[in-house]
Amino acid sequence: MKATTTADPGAHPVAKTDGGASLRRWWTSESNEFAGRNLGLLGVLVVLVIIGAVTRPDLYGDPEWVRNNVFTILQQASAIGVVTVGMTFVIIGGGIDLSVGAIMALAGVWATTLATQSYGPGGMIFTAIVVGIGAGLVNGLLVSYGRLVPFIATLAMMVAARGLAASISGKQTQISQSAVINDIATTKILGVPLLIVILALVVAAGWVLLNRTTFGRRTIAVGGNPEAARLAGINVRVQTLLLYGLSGLCCGIGAIMLTAQANSAQAAMANLYELDAIAAAIIGGTLLSGGRGTIIGALFGVLVFSTITNLFAINGLSTESQNMIKGGIIVAAVLIQQFRFGSLTKLFSRTAKP
Amino acid sequence: MIQDNSRRRLLFGGAVLGAGALLTACTSNEAGPTTAQTKGPEGDNANAAAGKAVTIGFSAPAADHGWMAAITNNAKAQAGAYPDVTFTSVEAGADAAAQRAALDTLISQKPDAIVMLPHDGKELTASGLKAMQAGIPVINLDRSFTQALAYRVMIKGDNYGMGVSAGNFVVAQMKAKGVTNPVIGEIAGIDSLELTQERSQGFKDALATAGFTVANRRAAEFTVDSGQREATNLLQALPKMDALWNHDDDQGIGVLAAIKQANRTEFIMIGGAGSKAAIESIQKDDTVLKATVTYSPSMASSAISLARLVAQGRGLSDLVELSVPKDITLSSETITKENAANYLQLGF
């Protein structure tokens, strides 16, 4: 189990002797399957950028514009990226969270009520995070102790959280008056927008948590085989509860980021983010049935979607065709994952030695 | 050890309860709803004189954004302004089927008139017919029925006209600035809605009179975050722009945030619908937003006034005819810095 989860190719240095064969072994070995997939997604990203450069050479000719555009793509990916990290943990742990968009809306709305805003930016951030964690823990309780199927429990939360958000906001758009919150979207640290820094920190924390801690090992164990995990002494219920709480925490952080970007919050915001987050996790190589997945892959998944949106915008193409392409990419990514790189190299070696 | 544990639990429980209480306190929104747009029975207007007491039934979809919330508030407030009107409102529920059921209940109560904003004009035409056959005049609000038999009066906004107003404003501004080949952007609402298509068509047609075209058009979802997302990408696509029309002032909050974040000021922006925040911002003239074209929820107040006159068998006092006209399409007005003060009371 340990071997299948390592996403870091550097952890398995290629032997210096016999270059060709070891490279082939590196590709074919189970442990580097994820690395291969990430390279595949990186390839997709490169192709998308090349398409952009070919179709709009006037824009891509300006290095200043290109740098801005990279930041734009990353900023647009930041809130959904943070949520996707939480979603990846839940899916690896054998669950699913359909309520992330609704929890983001609830946390955003709760954090921007006039009463919360009167406590200043600290109060707003605290509220968003506590509401996010709280809603996530309710999901977790329903799934682990209430024995509800995750799909149903989080579906119920999706409907209920949007309803609560609408009732708190009175169906109005709540404008954030806090300059500190709104500035999150414009602040730069050493030239890098703060939103991107937050995304990088969350991704790094998620990677460490999944790959370098017992919490991560337990998540994988619980998702891969809950019965074996229980027999191995893991408290499956507590682990599941914590996973949904973690997803809720990510929603709370994401809600603040989205509120900062839009300078406001409303009950209808973050619409269908759950589907984008699930799709990004899946094309990043996370197994929907649990037990396997990577944070880096999920990040690439988010970046691919964000880059497609950007590519269609700069070419002035319609949303309809964009959605069709997005659907095609999800299918293609999953098909590529089912296709084993190992069998390809075996095929080459067979034809090379008749 | 046991004691330790229980004390820890007590402390933890207390902290959870405290956080819960603090958060619950944070849900209050003291500002309250914005004032409704009504016109009371005042002056020596013949229509203002009290007539026979009438009951007006009202049904509109549950509010999911500011505009729809204003529709319901306005209808209620306008009915309250007439001493001779009793207002009965039924919850229209979540979809067309729920609204049909609610209307059956309303029809059985035999009000003197019904004001209805249907979930879907096509799906609720039958309910309109049923009420008309029961002898109850129906005032069809904004979303039109497919049969003229299903309503006594139709009052609606003009989506095509909204696009035309926005387009005309852009043309006039560009001519005034002497820009002959402007780069024009458009941020639409939900693209699958007919109203979005009509708005975009009107915009396109009005621009075409001056030989202008839309350089890039992105469709958002009427939400603030989708407005921010689409605007950010649109600004990337058009490094230099002269004019931008955003269909909806609510999503416009996100669009303006994106413009501020991108540090862009070289173009003029026109809004849509006429929200209070947008009108105030136009009046202050501190952003790129220079105008907005109306699609005002004040039409709900007017619908109640029309329902009252129809039920009392009276006409509009300024017109020669003795009864209320059958079709009224409101014109989409352009709010600019010059006239913003007049429209502030109509903002929602």
Side-chain angles (χ1 to χ4, degrees), chain B residues 158-168 186 195-209 214 245 247:
Chain B
D158 186 4
N159 285 305
Y160 182 82
M162 241 179 118
V164 172
S165 297
N168 287 341
E186 181 182 356
L195 66 93
T196 301
Q197 300 301 329
E198 288 173 7
R199 288 175 186 185
S200 287
Q201 191 60 44
F203 190 54
K204 204 172 147 191
D205 292 352
L207 291 179
T209 60
V214 175
W245 182 38
H247 286 205

Side-chain angles (χ1 to χ4, degrees), chain A residues 154-195:
Chain A
T154 57
L155 183 71
M157 177 57 80
M158 171 171 101
V159 179
R162 286 241 185 250
L164 182 56
S167 120
I168 290 174
S169 64
K171 294 140 194 163
Q172 301 284 349
T173 302
Q174 298 182 160
I175 297 177
S176 157
Q177 310 286 359
S178 163
V180 177
I181 296 289
N182 296 345
D183 282 351
I184 293 175
T186 48
T187 307
K188 287 189 174 179
I189 293 176
L190 301 175
V192 180
L194 180 57
L195 287 172

